[in-house]
Amino acid sequence: MPKAKKASKRHRFDYNKDRKKLKKQFIKKYKPRIEHPQIRHAWDDNKSTARNLQEMGLTFDPNRALPVKKQRLIGEDGESKAAAGVVTKPYILNHLQEEASLPEKDTKTLSSDLIEFVQHMIREHKDDYKAMARDEKNYYQDTPKQIKRKINEYKRCHSQHFDEFMNSLVPQPMVE
């Protein structure tokens, strides 16, 4: 049987390959930086990824953790249980659960131009969205529904500013 052409070829050192760069790439691939500090401190480099995660109460393969039940015929009986590993580092799982249960902050904001546009429309037309659509400041020719959506977005993102703005529109009675 004939040999492959490159099998009999003598191996020569390749001066064009950067060995330092190749080593860094190899380390980056097989030992990635773990961002979560709890997991990073509990990680054991001598153990496999699956073993490390199993000790923390996490799973490496979700298909094994929650197996898909095969459909069986009516007469057949057979129960299979997923193998549950021993969790030696439960504090990591508890910390992750606490972190996940915290409410997420809404960081969405609107541009200052859009805020000015919405305030102008409300100041001039109150709740008349059709008049807002005909306004000369409506440069982008938004439809009444689009303007209403922008106003609702402003109410949602900047509720305190919206309330202050609406209170400033109400005329103050003069006291003599």
Side-chain angles (χ1 to χ4, degrees):
M1 200 165 190
K3 284 185 174 180
K5 193 172 186 181
K6 294 220 175 190
S8 61
K9 187 179 174 185
R10 198 180 97 194
H11 295 288
R12 295 190 187 126
F13 186 78
D14 188 1
Y15 289 96
N16 294 326
K17 285 187 179 172
D18 187 356
R19 298 285 168 183
K20 190 175 181 182
K21 187 178 176 184
L22 288 173
K23 186 177 179 185
K24 280 186 180 178
Q25 286 175 346
F26 178 80
I27 290 171
K28 192 174 185 180
K29 182 176 181 185
Y30 289 99
K31 289 187 179 179
R33 171 143 171 80
I34 300 167
E35 293 298 323
H36 197 274
Q38 290 278 339
I39 295 175
R40 185 172 57 243
H41 292 304
W43 197 267
D44 187 1
D45 288 327
N46 298 327
K47 295 181 182 172
S48 68
T49 306
R51 188 78 175 151
N52 270 313
L53 291 173
Q54 182 185 14
E55 287 180 354
M56 293 178 207
L58 304 172
T59 182
F60 180 70
D61 185 9
N63 294 325
R64 285 189 180 173
L66 301 169
V68 177
K69 294 181 181 177
K70 296 179 182 174
Q71 291 184 348
R72 300 170 192 252
L73 296 174
I74 297 170
E76 289 184 36
D77 282 333
E79 295 181 18
S80 61
K81 293 182 180 177
V86 179
V87 179
T88 57
K89 302 172 185 174
Y91 59 93
I92 294 171
L93 190 62
N94 295 337
H95 183 74
L96 288 172
Q97 286 174 342
E98 287 172 19
E99 222 174 77
S101 67
L102 292 174
E104 187 177 336
K105 258 193 169 180
D106 189 17
T107 57
K108 186 169 190 228
T109 184
L110 300 176
S111 68
S112 57
D113 293 338
L114 186 61
I115 291 171
E116 286 178 31
F117 170 75
V118 168
Q119 288 179 351
H120 168 77
M121 291 298 179
I122 294 172
R123 198 178 302 115
E124 297 295 318
H125 306 289
K126 306 284 186 250
D127 290 336
D128 190 4
Y129 298 109
K130 287 184 179 178
M132 290 181 193
R134 290 190 301 267
D135 193 291
E136 63 183 14
K137 288 262 185 170
N138 184 9
Y139 300 128
Y140 297 110
Q141 296 184 347
D142 292 329
T143 62
K145 258 193 173 174
Q146 288 172 323
I147 294 172
K148 184 176 183 179
R149 216 173 287 132
K150 286 181 181 180
I151 292 172
N152 288 336
E153 192 72 13
Y154 175 59
K155 285 179 191 176
R156 191 179 66 77
C157 293
H158 302 282
S159 57
Q160 291 177 334
H161 296 289
F162 180 76
D163 292 337
E164 290 170 10
F165 173 70
M166 292 306 285
N167 290 337
S168 69
L169 290 180
V170 176
Q172 302 292 332
M174 289 197 161
V175 178
E176 290 182 24

